[in-house]
Amino acid sequence: MLERIEHDGILELRLARPPVNALSPGLVHALRSEVESAPRQGFHGLILSGREGVYSGGLDVPELIRLDRESMAAFWDDFCGLMGALACSPIPTVAAITGHSPAGGAVIAMWCDYRVMAAGDYRIGLNETQVGLAIPPMIIDGFKRLVGAHRGERLVAEGRLIPASEALQIGLVDELADVAAVVPQALAWLRRHLALPQHAFLANRRIARADLGRLFDDDDKAAAQAFVEGWFSAPTQAALQALVAQLQARKRR
């Protein structure tokens, strides 16, 4: 489900949940735990990677749709904890986006310090509108921080997945590389920054990312409840059921 690879003080967490590294409750919990514990274990940098061709296909809707309200609320709490752990990580983090990264895949990448994406016919973005889901405000705010307010508004509202080349152009990712070079380039970025005077680098990084941290300052129970209520609303459940049916039809082909 999650592979740990150590690179001389840098920890790579490789999503390993075939076929598309879908974000199940178990994977999200494991990833959150590793992200939170990496600094305590003495690691100085963190990489999140996937398999060649796919970073993460997003939330595991077929599994999540079977959850009751209590279990879904617990999953959302864990997912928020993962986002907050990345946004507020005391060590620098890089998303090594090794392929397609829709929806939840884009979400976990966007809280990292830096994003290296595989060049080629790969797509990334928040396509929740296309499948009938509302996006929580903190995710939209984080997305707009990267691509700008107006562009973020249009992309979120349309739910359009964009190619890697456009993602680089608008700032959703920072660098493109051949798929086999994505992780090496992520390592190179981290090593360059870890070679800087660390007292200054970490202090200035913390100040520059303080706005991200503020998105997770409060335990917003109302927002969490709104997400769960929205998930179980009739239109959303109908959209989710339709999505699951599409996924099952593809498997039978």
Side-chain angles (χ1 to χ4, degrees), residues 4 9 11 13 32-46 89 91:
R4 287 170 48 99
L11 177 62
L13 299 173
R32 176 186 181 181
S33 177
E34 290 286 356
V35 170
E36 290 177 340
S37 65
R40 299 194 298 270
Q41 295 173 33
F43 291 104
H44 303 294
L46 186 64
S89 174
I91 60 175

Side-chain angles (χ1 to χ4, degrees), residues 128-206:
E128 282 82 351
T129 294
Q130 297 288 339
V131 296
L133 298 176
I135 304 173
M138 72 175 70
I139 294 176
I140 294 177
D141 288 342
F143 187 76
K144 288 162 64 177
R145 181 182 187 269
L146 291 177
V147 304
H150 180 67
R151 182 177 284 119
E153 171 199 333
R154 298 297 350 126
L155 288 173
V156 166
E158 296 166 10
R160 183 166 64 91
L161 294 177
I162 61 175
S165 57
E166 184 177 346
L168 176 66
Q169 181 182 7
I170 68 173
L172 182 54
V173 302
D174 300 288
E175 181 180 347
L176 299 182
D178 290 341
V179 65
V182 169
V183 171
Q185 289 299 103
L187 279 167
W189 186 90
L190 277 171
R191 286 169 175 154
R192 286 197 304 272
H193 287 76
L194 293 175
L196 296 169
Q198 285 299 282
H199 67 286
F201 168 65
L202 293 175
N204 291 331
R205 172 185 174 273
R206 183 173 61 253

